Amino acid sequence: MKTSARGAARMLSGVGCVAALLLPTAVTAQAAPLARVPAADGKKGQELPGMPSALDSDAPCTPASREKAKKQDWSRQRLDLDRLHGYSTGAGVTVALIDTGVDTGAEGLDGRVTSQGTAGDDCVGHGTFLAGLIAGAGGGDARLTGVAPGAKILALRGTDQRGQASSALVVAALRAATEADADVIAVSVALPRRDKELTRAVADARRAGAVVVAAATPDPPRGAGASEEIPPRSYWPAAEPGVLSVADMLPAGVRPDNALATTGVDLVAPGAGVVSGGPRGDGHYLGAGASVAAAYAAGAAAAVRAARPDDSADDVARRLTATAYPADIPQLDAYAAVTTVLSDSAGAGGAERAADPVTVRDTTAADRATDRATLFVVLGTAGVLAVLWGAFALPRARARGWRPASASASARPVAAEADGD
């Protein structure tokens, strides 16, 4: 059961409009401009450079940030990471991250990142940023830990060195992740066309037991306006059967105005005004988009796999959706995913997609609480009625000399007859 504090935290609507302006996720120049971190308390917040998801062909690598976050951002509060880590840190789980690469020596990831091919060189910085959200140690006062700080990262390249994705690279990365027995595979790129080899690679990964999580849409270009005029469409591999498709949300729980429309989304997760590190230096950046949300969901999957090692990949995916905060599109709740007790029926049946799970929470405790509340209401009502009855009946009983009302009524005719005689 969620506490009132958690309910209040979920209603951080005052910063939604501010966060809608914080989408620094596409082409950058020499240094990304500063963008403002939304403050949950309505104050001014802080400014950090934006993390791009791709670079111009002639742009230098993303420079080191000179700014550091001063406090934990809203996304980690929403996911209850401080409490989650008391139950699971993802220890022993390997997450394969398919993006722009991950710097193996990045701050907060030392010793827990391996890479294949050129994936250890992250010029763009986006993959390293996402790795911090999944498994960053988050040192310092800001408490910017990842969802699963005990997990290991396998860096795989799904893009070229400038951040341009291709189906061939994603397919190769999926096969490498499968061969490496990755427990969770996070695909942060979203391709506009389906490919037979991609479909086969996803199916092979799922048969091998991996939880496959993918961004529901590409990240929109920085400064892009509202996208209502673009009809909804599917992106791949998020639309493949069995893949957990994840979209981005603002602090208010709604999708950004410029988010690309799509169908078949299983979860939304924080995807605006999110803070993490990069491949150079120990400074922080601000990121946004469905790729950020997918990284958070992949971290949650790792935390569940560590806490419930006997659960299948389909069980993990269903758990993430069954424990999500109810909304038009369920909102990821990492803490609830690890700690909620589900009924036996929640783990049985349908393995094709996690979009349509038939799951039921274990409501035994809730039922007991409801029964107690009902009993209190009944007893309280009875007490009120007793007081009202006493206030009405006692004065009349006193006036009758405490005789029963029937006796008093029968005595009056007798007296009248006597007077008549």
Side-chain angles (χ1 to χ4, degrees):
M1 300 295 289
K2 295 179 174 61
T3 64
S4 58
R6 284 177 59 72
R10 295 189 186 282
M11 299 304 293
L12 295 172
S13 59
V15 296
C17 294
V18 177
L21 304 175
L22 305 177
L23 298 170
T25 55
V27 178
T28 185
Q30 292 187 359
L34 295 180
R36 192 172 301 284
V37 181
D41 56 9
K43 296 181 180 179
K44 184 177 180 180
Q46 54 187 325
E47 291 182 337
L48 298 172
M51 173 57 70
S53 59
L55 297 172
D56 283 334
S57 59
D58 58 349
C61 295
T62 302
S65 171
R66 297 180 180 179
E67 306 294 329
K68 286 191 176 183
K70 299 177 177 62
K71 57 184 177 181
Q72 190 179 55
D73 64 16
W74 74 273
S75 63
R76 290 166 170 85
Q77 297 173 26
R78 173 68 66 92
L79 297 176
D80 254 1
L81 297 193
D82 289 342
R83 288 209 295 168
L84 166 67
H85 295 155
Y87 295 88
S88 177
T89 62
V93 174
T94 297
V95 180
L97 175 58
I98 301 175
D99 195 74
T100 62
V102 179
D103 188 284
T104 56
E107 185 78 11
L109 293 169
D110 260 343
R112 291 184 294 113
V113 179
T114 57
S115 63
Q116 293 192 12
T118 62
D121 178 17
D122 186 12
C123 178
V124 179
H126 191 258
T128 307
F129 180 94
L130 298 185
L133 300 180
I134 296 171
D141 296 335
R143 305 198 321 280
L144 298 175
T145 56
V147 183
K152 295 181 179 179
I153 297 290
L154 171 60
L156 299 166
R157 189 177 289 285
T159 74
D160 63 17
Q161 291 191 344
R162 315 308 293 175
Q164 299 301 320
S166 76
S167 179
L169 288 172
V170 174
V171 168
L174 280 165
R175 297 206 177 282
T178 302
E179 292 174 4
D181 294 324
D183 303 290
V184 179
I185 302 176
V187 187
S188 66
V189 300
L191 302 169
R193 287 180 296 277
R194 193 177 192 183
D195 180 278
K196 290 183 179 179
E197 288 301 315
L198 180 63
T199 299
R200 190 173 295 114
V202 169
D204 289 345
R206 294 192 63 243
R207 276 193 292 270
V211 180
V212 183
V213 181
T217 66
D219 293 341
R222 185 181 171 208
S227 58
E228 289 85 353
E229 69 278 5
I230 302 176
R233 56 161 301 168
S234 297
Y235 296 91
W236 313 93
E240 291 289 350
V243 174
L244 196 67
S245 175
V246 186
D248 47 336
M249 73 175 186
L250 298 172
V254 299
R255 295 203 67 203
D257 289 339
N258 67 343
L260 295 171
T262 189
T263 57
V265 177
D266 297 313
L267 286 172
V268 291
V274 175
V275 179
S276 188
R280 286 162 283 281
D282 59 356
H284 296 129
Y285 304 81
L286 195 65
S291 61
V292 170
Y296 269 143
V304 172
R305 298 222 83 164
R308 308 179 67 86
D310 295 331
D311 281 8
S312 69
D314 293 317
D315 290 338
V316 173
R318 280 192 293 270
R319 171 169 283 275
L320 291 174
T321 56
T323 60
Y325 185 74
D328 290 341
I329 303 176
Q331 300 172 8
L332 176 67
D333 187 333
Y335 173 77
V338 170
T339 61
T340 299
V341 177
L342 298 179
S343 69
D344 292 340
S345 62
E352 276 305 306
R353 281 191 69 83
D356 300 308
V358 181
T359 55
V360 182
R361 292 177 186 261
D362 185 346
T363 59
T364 303
D367 291 342
R368 287 197 297 267
T370 301
D371 291 342
R372 288 195 298 268
T374 302
L375 178 60
F376 291 153
V377 170
V378 171
L379 292 176
T381 302
V384 171
L385 291 175
V387 171
L388 292 175
W389 179 86
F392 174 81
L394 289 177
R396 287 163 176 73
R398 186 181 296 108
R400 295 194 303 269
W402 305 104
R403 293 191 303 274
S406 57
S408 209
S410 61
R412 283 195 296 271
V414 172
E417 291 174 2
D419 291 340
D421 292 341

